[in-house]
Amino acid sequence: MHDIAKDQLVKKGQNPFASKAVKLKRRDRAISFGLGAATYFILACTLYIFADIAFKGIPVVLKSEAPFVNFEFFTKSPETLMTFETEGGETYKMNFSEYSQFKRDHPDVNIVEEHSHAYSGGGIFGPLVGTALLTIICITVALSVGLATAIFLNEYATKGRFMDSIRLAIMNLAGVPSIVFGLFGLMFFCLFIPVVTSEPLERSFLAIPLGGGSYFSFEGWGTCMLAGGFTLAVMILPVVIAACEESLKAIPMGFREASLALGATKWQTISKAVLPYAFPGMLTASILGITRVAGETAPIMFTAALAHKDELPWQAANSIGGFFSQSVQALPYHIYTVAARIPQSEYTKPMQYGSVFVFMVLVMTFAALSIFLRIRYRKKLKW
Amino acid sequence: MKTYMSDQEDQMTLEPQGEDAPTQEQSAVDAMETVIEVDNVSFAYIPGTDVLKDISMNINKGEVTAFIGPSGCGKSTLLRCLNRMNDLIPRAGLTQGEIRILGTDIYHPEVDVIELRKHVGMVFQKYNPFPKSIYENVAYGLRIQGVNRKSVLDEAVESSLKLAGLWDEVKDRLDSSGLGLSGGQQQRLCIARTIAVQPKIILMDEPCSALDPISTTIIEELITQLKQEFTIVIVTHNMQQATRVSDRTAYFYLGELIEMDETTKIFSNPSQQKTEEYISGRFG
Ligand SMILES: Nc1ncnc2c1ncn2[C@@H]1O[C@H](COP(=O)(O)OP(=O)(O)OP(=O)(O)O)[C@@H](O)[C@H]1O
Ligand SMILES: [Mg+2]
């Protein structure tokens, strides 16, 4: 390609574009290298974390033989894991229930050394169920309250300084640490919110007799999934409100004007010409909210979650109200409990990494779903 | 419940029910029937700064009336007073005067703005069909009135689309999205949607300004046909358009009505110097 004669010409100093500021150029290169390095460093860290979790978690969740999935991990609730050595020098590892059975079956076996590892046996069924229930309650509450607020702020309220300050106050809630919401939930939903009951608890602040033996009692719901779900809902309300408002703002004014000019009332206009088109946006944003809520530990550890609970909500409850006033286990709190055990050992690790891996896959699935839906609706609804 | 077919005798729907309600003053002198009377109207978006100043005019039934004037002179504002779209803007309102449509003061407290807008439809500058099917776009106004009988809707959709000159182009794809049409077709769809609720008056705010010349011609022809059934008020920046479609023209300048007369007179022999200057293109 290169013509040698031409090269010579350029070298002779006839090149008007010859580089002059060598120093500047070197600095440019250094800066672009530095910026790139920072980016790749972060990328490497993220990849390392994902790889580490996957590497240690996959063997817990998947199996090499027939069904390939370790179903026990998903269908059993957490148990204490027992490890022990018998006089014969054999070592055993089993869940506590199997261990009791083993001792009953072999009363003659002498156990020389045994260790118990709390919550490291069994599976994660209970926490999975708990997290699902908490998330469902939270999203139901947050979406209905958040949607109502967003509609009011965006469609009904007269724009002005007062509304701006309300909006600012709501948005500021987003910066409050989640443990503060946990405490708020404990004081308000668990211990204060009024209920109608026939026998007020001792902790009730105030019990107003309603007649017929029932009381309006300020005693709260106690530690239960309802309290946890509501606490989580309050926590993500700012996000949901902002997302809903954003979706409402994206609907052209023309739709509202056209509808009103056809003789529609305000509510008809909102429900027929605005909400249907704003809904997809709200939904995708809310799914992202779900991933955040599902991962929160602080707001539920005082309000809803127990480190250990043998019964599942439907086993313990005999009514719908009873169902919702059950406390539950929850995945993030479960991970916390297992990881906070000291001493750690090779026996606690599978539970930790298995849970974290499942959790990560769930959250990533929801995030991907939300992105997928957003792209789809953006393509479909264009105006 | 008002149904699609029975609107012959409800000129009185707008009439407030109260004892002291203003009633129609019949002006038997005019051969032309006046449907809109604007009486010394001033209007402000922000209290204290009138953008319409003491405007009075009559708009006749079955005519096309054009509003012309330089940008910002208040044409759209007056138009949106006629179906009270300005109600949407907080603090905006008439500061004096009265607007009577079909003899009734439309800002009277007993006038239901919803009923008013069923009688006074509007077509916007930027065509704005809903992201629904063509059929549902046209049926929208009837559906919100509670009309759900398929036969009634079918008939209304067909006749409205025919009236808007769109039927032949879309009759095979009524179920496809209204947004899939060309700009001119979308604007005619909006016109069909407006006439489906059978208003008496149709307000159009620069209905062709976002369209190409061919679509513009089609809509102009449509307007001249529609005036047989509707009274039309149209805002336009296009002088030729005003001469082509309108019977009477009102010229506005800085919130004042300078002159209103027959379109031919305005464009051939205006009585005001300012009008003359504007239409001959010396400013504007
Ligand atoms: N929502 C509003 N709030 C405050 N002032 C407004 C509002 N809308 C219009 N105005 C002002 O009112 C005056 C009249 O506006 P209008 O839109 O009626 O003019 P126009 O004649 O329709 O102009 P154009 O030909 O550009 O559409 C303008 O000075 C404008 O700035
Ligand atoms: Mg205008």
Side-chain angles (χ1 to χ4, degrees):
Chain A
M1 278 298 270
H2 255 67
D3 193 327
I4 296 174
K6 268 190 189 161
D7 272 1
Q8 225 94 57
L9 268 181
V10 171
K11 270 192 191 130
K12 254 185 205 158
Q14 294 188 357
N15 175 6
F17 311 118
S19 182
K20 293 198 184 78
V22 182
K23 239 186 182 171
L24 274 182
K25 221 173 164 186
R26 211 178 288 151
R27 196 172 70 188
D28 246 36
R29 217 175 291 150
I31 286 175
S32 87
F33 178 79
L35 297 177
T39 313
Y40 288 118
F41 175 68
I42 292 297
L43 190 67
C45 290
T46 318
L47 281 181
Y48 173 75
I49 295 171
F50 284 171
D52 186 45
I53 291 173
F55 190 69
K56 293 177 181 154
I58 285 175
V60 182
V61 177
L62 302 181
K63 282 197 296 202
S64 54
E65 59 297 344
F68 297 110
V69 178
N70 183 3
F71 284 109
E72 269 200 356
F73 190 67
F74 294 98
T75 55
K76 276 196 164 169
S77 278
E79 278 181 73
T80 301
L81 184 72
M82 302 300 299
T83 53
F84 53 88
E85 200 179 326
T86 53
E87 238 171 4
E90 277 175 285
T91 56
Y92 292 88
K93 180 179 100 174
M94 52 184 69
N95 293 335
F96 190 77
S97 49
E98 293 159 353
Y99 167 78
S100 320
Q101 188 66 38
F102 179 85
K103 286 230 286 200
R104 244 175 284 137
D105 291 350
H106 310 271
D108 47 329
V109 171
N110 250 345
I111 294 173
V112 288
E113 197 180 340
E114 70 171 23
H115 295 282
S116 68
H117 311 275
Y119 317 129
S120 296
I124 54 167
F125 186 59
L128 272 180
V129 167
T131 290
L133 286 171
L134 284 171
T135 312
I136 290 170
I137 295 172
C138 163
I139 289 298
T140 315
V141 175
L143 254 191
S144 36
V145 178
L147 184 56
T149 312
I151 292 177
F152 176 74
L153 285 176
N154 203 52
E155 310 284 332
Y156 283 92
T158 349
K159 315 257 176 298
R161 223 174 272 159
F162 180 61
M163 278 304 143
D164 284 348
S165 54
I166 287 187
R167 194 174 282 125
L168 197 68
I170 294 173
M171 293 316 142
N172 269 333
L173 276 183
V176 174
S178 54
I179 189 79
V180 176
F181 283 105
L183 280 173
F184 160 75
L186 174 66
M187 297 317 294
F188 187 73
F189 293 118
C190 296
L191 298 175
F192 181 73
I193 203 164
V195 294
V196 176
T197 171
S198 53
E199 40 201 292
L201 297 177
E202 222 172 287
R203 66 162 186 254
S204 176
F205 278 81
L206 177 67
I208 304 163
L210 293 175
S214 61
Y215 291 87
F216 193 67
S217 165
F218 288 80
E219 60 183 43
W221 293 330
T223 304
C224 65
M225 63 172 106
L226 209 56
F230 272 74
T231 308
L232 288 170
V234 173
M235 191 192 74
I236 58 156
L237 260 181
V239 182
V240 174
I241 292 172
C244 289
E245 259 206 287
E246 218 49 57
S247 312
L248 289 175
K249 285 210 181 88
I251 307 301
M253 265 319 270
F255 292 1
R256 298 178 178 88
E257 286 189 323
S259 172
L260 289 170
L262 286 167
T265 63
K266 185 146 198 171
W267 176 244
Q268 281 177 325
T269 298
I270 292 170
S271 63
K272 294 223 165 75
V274 177
L275 285 187
Y277 314 122
F279 226 68
M282 295 173 178
L283 215 61
T284 43
S286 307
I287 293 176
L288 269 188
I290 292 181
T291 59
R292 165 132 191 254
V293 160
E296 281 294 341
T297 317
I300 56 171
M301 63 188 201
F302 313 133
T303 54
L306 292 188
H308 186 73
K309 187 173 166 99
D310 280 326
E311 286 168 306
L312 292 161
W314 53 85
Q315 292 168 334
N318 43 20
S319 66
I320 299 219
F323 178 79
F324 285 111
S325 46
Q326 293 297 313
S327 53
V328 289
Q329 287 181 282
L331 208 42
Y333 190 49
H334 177 62
I335 293 168
Y336 164 76
T337 343
V338 179
R341 288 287 136 180
I342 293 170
Q344 296 275 308
S345 71
E346 80 236 54
Y347 298 109
T348 58
K349 283 231 166 77
M351 178 49 99
Q352 281 172 40
Y353 278 96
S355 311
V356 170
F357 178 70
V358 170
F359 197 32
M360 195 178 74
V361 169
L362 277 181
V363 166
M364 278 162 66
T365 312
F366 273 113
L369 184 71
S370 134
I371 292 168
F372 170 76
L373 284 180
R374 184 175 314 177
I375 292 171
R376 235 190 92 152
Y377 280 116
R378 200 167 284 166
K379 258 193 217 139
K380 225 169 117 190
L381 289 177
K382 247 193 234 152
W383 40 75
Chain B
M1 172 55 34
K2 184 187 159 215
T3 63
Y4 179 68
M5 307 315 286
S6 70
D7 68 292
Q8 252 60 28
E9 66 296 309
D10 62 23
Q11 283 228 340
M12 312 301 282
T13 328
L14 268 181
E15 209 103 86
Q17 304 300 311
E19 293 269 310
D20 57 342
T23 50
Q24 188 160 0
E25 290 166 32
Q26 205 61 40
S27 54
V29 196
D30 278 328
M32 274 298 181
E33 198 185 327
T34 305
V35 284
I36 303 175
E37 297 158 85
V38 180
D39 246 2
N40 304 101
V41 162
S42 295
F43 178 93
Y45 286 107
I46 300 147
T49 46
D50 284 0
V51 295
L52 293 180
K53 292 160 196 157
D54 200 22
I55 291 186
S56 296
M57 63 162 61
N58 286 345
I59 290 171
N60 296 328
K61 183 173 181 178
E63 280 189 350
V64 177
T65 304
F67 289 181
I68 61 169
S71 192
C73 66
K75 308 177 296 287
S76 301
T77 303
L78 179 59
L79 197 73
R80 294 165 69 91
C81 283
L82 300 181
N83 66 345
R84 288 182 52 179
M85 280 308 263
N86 286 329
D87 288 13
L88 302 182
I89 301 163
R91 304 202 297 155
L94 299 196
T95 51
Q96 71 165 51
E98 191 174 292
I99 297 175
R100 286 185 300 278
I101 293 182
L102 302 172
T104 303
D105 172 12
I106 60 168
Y107 284 87
H108 192 279
E110 285 190 45
V111 166
D112 183 356
V113 66
I114 305 299
E115 288 304 320
L116 170 70
R117 289 183 188 146
K118 286 180 194 162
H119 286 73
V120 187
M122 189 166 216
V123 174
F124 298 84
Q125 173 172 8
K126 180 81 189 80
Y127 41 86
N128 51 4
F130 301 118
K132 297 176 189 281
S133 69
I134 293 169
Y135 184 97
E136 284 304 325
N137 261 289
V138 183
Y140 184 89
L142 292 171
R143 282 207 195 274
I144 55 177
Q145 290 180 30
V147 180
N148 275 317
R149 277 256 298 286
K150 184 146 189 335
S151 55
V152 179
L153 289 177
D154 281 352
E155 199 188 319
V157 168
E158 180 171 345
S159 64
S160 308
L161 283 171
K162 274 183 176 154
L163 215 49
L166 197 58
W167 177 250
D168 290 331
E169 290 158 66
V170 302
K171 62 170 184 267
D172 300 324
R173 47 170 172 151
L174 290 177
D175 289 328
S176 57
S177 169
L179 299 181
L181 300 172
S182 76
Q185 288 173 324
Q186 289 193 32
Q187 189 63 297
R188 277 183 283 148
L189 179 61
C190 293
I191 294 175
R193 179 176 68 183
T194 303
I195 60 192
V197 291
Q198 300 210 320
K200 302 278 184 301
I201 299 158
I202 300 178
L203 310 173
M204 300 184 173
D205 195 348
E206 303 184 42
C208 302
S209 65
L211 301 179
D212 61 284
I214 293 175
S215 305
T216 300
T217 313
I218 295 175
I219 293 200
E220 284 176 7
E221 279 165 9
L222 175 60
I223 290 171
T224 46
Q225 274 166 27
L226 288 178
K227 75 176 178 183
Q228 326 219 314
E229 298 197 32
F230 308 97
T231 303
I232 294 172
V233 185
I234 179 173
V235 172
T236 179
H237 272 283
N238 182 332
M239 306 292 162
Q240 281 76 40
Q241 185 167 74
T243 56
R244 283 192 296 259
V245 303
S246 71
D247 300 296
R248 284 156 63 81
T249 296
Y251 171 61
F252 293 85
Y253 181 63
L254 293 181
E256 287 177 66
L257 175 62
I258 303 299
E259 178 171 6
M260 180 173 185
D261 215 325
E262 314 246 306
T263 301
T264 43
K265 174 130 192 305
I266 290 274
F267 283 94
S268 59
N269 186 20
S271 58
Q272 300 290 320
Q273 176 79 28
K274 280 183 190 155
T275 317
E276 156 96 60
E277 283 171 5
Y278 181 69
I279 57 168
S280 60
R282 249 171 283 164
F283 86 100

